[in-house]
Amino acid sequence: MAMSRIQSREAGIGLIGAIFWIVVVAVVVAIIVKVGPIYYDNMSLQNILRDQARHTSPSESAGEIMYNLQDRLNVAMIKINQQDIHIIKNGDAPVQIVADYDRTVPLVGNISLLIHFHTSS
């Protein structure tokens, strides 16, 4: 009798609970695998913008800055529209470069994740 009371108090994860947690972990890992490269590209873009702004002289035109920036982005294989990049020049002040863009990550079927980035130097 004492043995059956102890066994009935034992608790653990059942088959349904294990399957549930495996599915949850698989979904989280899938999202991380799909979203991770986009955040890595954004970090690379931040470094490129910062470096470009630091090495730009006040006498350079916005067109020259954009041309040099596009070269760097092509080498890093980062695809971003020129309309999403804004170059702000204020006299002799350092140049500020702002990238404001969206990325859409397809998840499953017709479900997608929209991520908005606002990156500046």
Side-chain angles (χ1 to χ4, degrees), residues 74-121:
N74 287 337
V75 168
M77 293 188 293
I78 298 174
K79 306 284 187 248
I80 186 168
N81 293 331
Q82 284 188 354
Q83 296 84 5
D84 296 334
I85 300 173
H86 308 284
I87 298 171
I88 302 166
K89 294 180 68 173
N90 292 327
D92 290 338
V95 173
Q96 184 179 12
I97 305 171
V98 177
D100 198 16
Y101 64 102
D102 296 327
R103 290 287 187 252
T104 304
V105 181
L107 295 177
V108 176
N110 60 354
I111 300 173
S112 297
L113 180 65
L114 176 68
I115 304 172
H116 178 76
F117 291 104
H118 181 81
T119 305
S120 63
S121 62

Side-chain angles (χ1 to χ4, degrees), residues 4-103:
S4 65
R5 234 186 265 155
I6 292 173
Q7 287 177 348
S8 67
R9 290 184 187 167
E10 290 181 11
I13 189 166
L15 180 62
I16 294 174
I19 292 172
F20 171 77
W21 286 111
I22 289 171
V23 168
V24 168
V25 169
V27 167
V28 169
V29 168
I31 290 173
I32 289 171
V33 166
K34 290 186 177 230
V35 173
I38 292 173
Y39 276 96
Y40 178 77
D41 283 350
N42 185 56
M43 289 188 310
S44 297
L45 178 65
Q46 281 179 324
N47 291 335
I48 291 170
L49 293 182
R50 193 176 308 118
D51 192 51
Q52 180 68 40
R54 193 178 350 205
H55 292 97
T56 299
S57 68
S59 63
E60 281 186 75
S61 70
E64 291 172 325
I65 296 169
M66 184 64 79
Y67 180 78
N68 293 333
L69 183 61
Q70 283 299 324
D71 279 347
R72 289 176 174 219
L73 293 175
N74 287 337
V75 168
M77 293 188 293
I78 298 174
K79 306 284 187 248
I80 186 168
N81 293 331
Q82 284 188 354
Q83 296 84 5
D84 296 334
I85 300 173
H86 308 284
I87 298 171
I88 302 166
K89 294 180 68 173
N90 292 327
D92 290 338
V95 173
Q96 184 179 12
I97 305 171
V98 177
D100 198 16
Y101 64 102
D102 296 327
R103 290 287 187 252

